[in-house]
């Protein structure tokens, strides 16, 4: 059986996901096309040999509708014979796209796939596509709660305090600032440019390096009213009767930022890479999506089991900082030290462009492994609807 290798990963800078963000004027198709174009150009890819373009995108409506994978590839100048498919596994969409690409290559069905993700949260608002996840009747019927309430529940179950979350958030900001100062993102980040080739955004613009625990302490919890006054906290009682009261600790400063961004990853067989004169950077060892609360923990355990590895075999972890409680609970339950987790900061500091984040994190951990001359990395994200996803890579 062939194995799936990672040959390269690129991403745009993350722009604030509001009308005053630098990327607001950039159409999502152009945002994604800039990543696809950069991946092609720096690897001299003959795009008529790309078997598929698999892209994660959560809110597939408006500017992001109509299979953005296909039309962004055409916009980027890819050969008309390179098809495209757009996937939605909520926050895990970008990593799911890479996993789909890896599965197709490892099966022998395809030889080379470009994967990635895109989300323009300034132009296409989260939830604007509607659907059952936003329907109160469905929430009551299936016992589903918004992710923020789930994150507060996770914190309550694991004894994670507001100060714990705020302290973690400040550390995320500090790590991201240090990474930017030392140019640790430069290998992967490609500038977004206008039609004249002038840069629109060259660096991540969301980080707030002057954040302090005291400043965060002034912010009101974001999900307390939703949970208590609208009765959504009560939905958790059936499954967690031991929780008398959810401690609502999350707010804008210790949760992921709303941003715009796109990413592209080249996945191929070793033989295809050799044919094109490309050098592989890593091998995909194991992947797994699961349906369960606090999904990163069981997803990571399953991916480790499939790869015949243990937590101790992993050098670096990227645990998406959708909310501070998620990586804090992950470290607590799996026994992982903080100096191995999100070493260059995470989504609290940098932002979380829903459909692109998973693919971005894969490139982030690969760059960090190379910078530190380490071997193995694990990327995992929590996902709306109680899901999680994890992928393990090994440098080659």
């Amino acid at each position: 059986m062939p194995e799936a290798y990672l040959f390269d990963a690129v991403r745009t800078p993350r722009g604030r996901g509001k009308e005053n963000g630098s990327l607001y004027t950039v159409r999502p198709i152009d945002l994604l096309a800039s990543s696809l174009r950069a991946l092609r150009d720096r690897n001299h890819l003959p795009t008529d040999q790309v078997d598929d373009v698999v892209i994660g995108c959560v809110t597939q409506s408006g500017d992001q509708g109509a299979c953005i994978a296909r039309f962004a590839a055409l916009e980027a100048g890819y050969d008309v014979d390179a098809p495209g498919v757009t996937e939605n596994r909520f926050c895990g969409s970008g990593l799911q796209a890479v996993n789909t690409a890896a599965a197709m290559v490892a099966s022998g069905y395809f030889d080379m796939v470009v994967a990635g993700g895109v989300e323009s949260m300034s132009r296409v608002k989260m939830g604007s596509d509607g659907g059952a996840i936003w329907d109160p009747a469905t929430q009551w019927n299936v016992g589903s709660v918004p992710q923020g309430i789930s994150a507060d529940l996770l914190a309550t179950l694991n004894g994670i305090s507001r100060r714990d979350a705020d302290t973690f958030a400040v550390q995320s900001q500090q790590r991201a600032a240090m990474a930017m100062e030392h140019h640790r993102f430069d290998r992967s980040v490609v500038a977004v440019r206008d039609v004249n080739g002038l840069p629109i955004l060259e660096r991540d613009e969301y980080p707030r390096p002057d954040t302090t625990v005291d400043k965060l302490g002034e912010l009101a919890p974001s999900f307390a009213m939703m949970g208590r006054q609208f009765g959504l906290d009560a939905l958790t009682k059936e499954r967690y009767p031991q929780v008398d009261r959810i401690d609502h600790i999350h707010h804008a400063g210790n949760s992921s930022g709303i941003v715009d961004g796109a990413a592209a990853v080249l996945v191929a067989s070793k033989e295809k890479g050799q044919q094109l004169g490309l050098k592989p950077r890593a091998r995909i060892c194991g992947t797994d999506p699961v349906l369960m609360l606090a999904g990163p923990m069981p997803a990571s355990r399953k991916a480790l089991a499939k790869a015949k590895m243990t937590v101790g075999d992993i050098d670096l972890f990227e645990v998406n900082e959708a909310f501070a409680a998620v990586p804090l609970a992950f470290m607590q339950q799996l026994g992982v030290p903080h100096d191995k987790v999100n070493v260059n900061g995470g989504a609290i500091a940098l932002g979380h462009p829903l459909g692109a984040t998973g693919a971005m994190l894969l490139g982030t951990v690969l760059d960090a492994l190379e910078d530190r001359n380490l071997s193995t990395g694990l990327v995992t994200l929590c996902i709306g609807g109680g899901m999680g996803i994890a992928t393990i890579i090994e440098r080659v």
Side-chain angles (χ1 to χ4, degrees), residues 167-179 208-209 211 344-345 349:
T167 299
F168 181 88
V170 170
Q171 291 170 331
S172 180
Q173 294 283 358
Q174 292 170 342
R175 289 182 174 188
M178 184 69 70
R208 297 176 174 85
T211 300
N344 290 326

Side-chain angles (χ1 to χ4, degrees), residues 7-10 35-50 76-79 112 114 266 268 272-279:
F7 286 86
D8 202 7
V10 302
S35 291
L36 296 175
R37 196 177 293 116
L39 190 74
R40 176 199 63 197
D41 293 348
R42 62 195 243 170
N43 292 283
H44 308 289
L45 283 185
T47 57
D48 61 337
Q49 296 185 45
V50 173
Y78 278 43
D79 192 272
M112 183 169 65
V114 172
L266 180 60
K272 187 65 175 181
Q274 289 173 340
Q275 177 188 332
L276 297 176
L278 301 174
K279 183 180 178 181

Side-chain angles (χ1 to χ4, degrees), residues 278-293:
L278 301 174
K279 183 180 178 181
R281 295 174 63 187
R283 177 174 63 93
I284 297 179
C285 303
T287 65
D288 214 281
V290 298
L291 180 63
M292 194 176 297
L293 182 70

Side-chain angles (χ1 to χ4, degrees), residues 364-386:
T364 297
V365 78
L366 179 53
D367 286 344
L369 289 171
E370 291 176 343
D371 288 344
R372 296 164 181 244
N373 196 28
L374 298 173
S375 177
T376 57
L378 185 150
V379 177
T380 185
L381 300 92
C382 62
I383 304 174

